[in-house]
Amino acid sequence: MNKKAVIVLSGGLDSTTCMGIAKAEGYDLYPITFHYGQRHNREVEQAIEVGKFYGVADHRIVDLTFLKDIGGSALTDEKVDVPTEAEEGIPVTYVPARNMIFLSLASAYAEVIGATAVYTGVSAVDFSGYPDCRPEFIQSMEETINLATKAGVTGINISVETPLISLSKKETIEKGLSLEVPYDLTTSCYNGKEAACGQCDSCVLRLKGFKEAGAVDPIIYEI
């Protein structure tokens, strides 16, 4: 019986790299993508394309627009401008409790389908100040999942896999390129246009990573 992994797939560079890594590690892939009321649908659309590339049999798209209703982030609240420069402390692009919510739902899905791993593309190196990308959060979340699930209390642990957590964007891209990850299908821009803006924090970090990796970013930019 093949081993299964749930992949928290946003359609971005990091989560798509996680898809490639999980595939290389021999898992059957079960991506889950969250529509959380973000400013645009483009990343959800790209996640669907990534799923098709990997030939997944089941790709779950989950509606979490409640996160838009409560706001509190530049990614979900149109009244808050997306920054074009790095910020001190926790930036306005932080979405309250997003990764905690995502991992909770992903672990519920994993338990039902018999998956023993949940992959998420968090990075503690290029994490932009997000508290839910830190190693101590991931460790705590994994412990909680296995305390709170039938699988965990009956000895079938669900691991939270974060293969990128100690990698820079350059190292992530190098890893992905070695696995022929389809970066042309991904998006990282906060603004969600067909051509990435090249100016938001996410675009800047991505472009810097490709440059340092000595590779050309295959997506289109306005600049």
Side-chain angles (χ1 to χ4, degrees), residues 29-51:
L29 307 176
Y30 289 81
I32 185 169
T33 298
F34 298 101
H35 192 297
Y36 57 92
Q38 56 267 58
R39 283 176 174 262
H40 56 82
N41 291 327
R42 186 166 180 80
E43 61 182 10
V44 176
E45 294 166 357
Q46 296 310 119
I48 292 170
E49 294 304 311
V50 171

Side-chain angles (χ1 to χ4, degrees), residues 34-212:
F34 298 101
H35 192 297
Y36 57 92
Q38 56 267 58
R39 283 176 174 262
H40 56 82
N41 291 327
R42 186 166 180 80
E43 61 182 10
V44 176
E45 294 166 357
Q46 296 310 119
I48 292 170
E49 294 304 311
V50 171
K52 290 177 182 177
F53 175 89
Y54 283 103
V56 301
D58 190 0
H59 186 172
R60 299 300 175 102
I61 311 295
V62 179
D63 187 346
L64 284 179
T65 48
F66 169 72
L67 291 179
K68 179 177 179 64
D69 295 338
I70 64 172
S73 170
L75 299 190
T76 59
D77 190 339
E78 298 288 345
K79 297 189 293 294
V80 182
D81 292 334
V82 174
T84 57
E85 296 180 1
E87 303 173 82
E88 293 292 329
I90 299 173
V92 295
T93 51
Y94 162 70
V95 179
R98 178 175 60 178
N99 284 341
M100 183 166 64
I101 295 167
F102 286 3
L103 289 173
S104 295
L105 292 171
S107 63
Y109 183 35
E111 181 173 34
V112 171
I113 65 172
T116 55
V118 173
Y119 279 73
T120 182
V122 301
S123 170
V125 177
D126 293 330
F127 76 127
S128 300
Y130 297 152
D132 54 357
C133 290
R134 296 174 298 158
E136 52 265 48
F137 162 71
I138 296 298
Q139 180 181 353
S140 175
M141 193 68 194
E142 181 177 277
E143 291 172 357
T144 298
I145 288 168
N146 287 301
L147 286 171
T149 57
K150 178 181 177 181
V153 299
T154 56
I156 307 171
N157 282 1
I158 298 171
S159 64
V160 179
E161 299 293 332
T162 56
L164 313 181
I165 200 159
S166 62
L167 302 186
S168 67
K169 195 65 73 181
K170 167 183 175 289
E171 292 167 331
T172 293
I173 290 167
E174 289 173 340
K175 179 68 174 177
L177 291 174
S178 73
L179 297 173
E180 299 184 346
V181 168
Y183 287 137
D184 61 307
L185 300 179
T186 66
T187 184
S188 299
C189 184
Y190 289 146
N191 292 297
K193 298 178 182 178
E194 185 172 352
C197 74
Q199 297 179 330
C200 69
D201 184 45
S202 185
C203 278
V204 169
L205 190 60
R206 175 177 173 134
L207 285 166
K208 178 173 177 286
F210 270 98
K211 182 177 180 180
E212 290 177 349

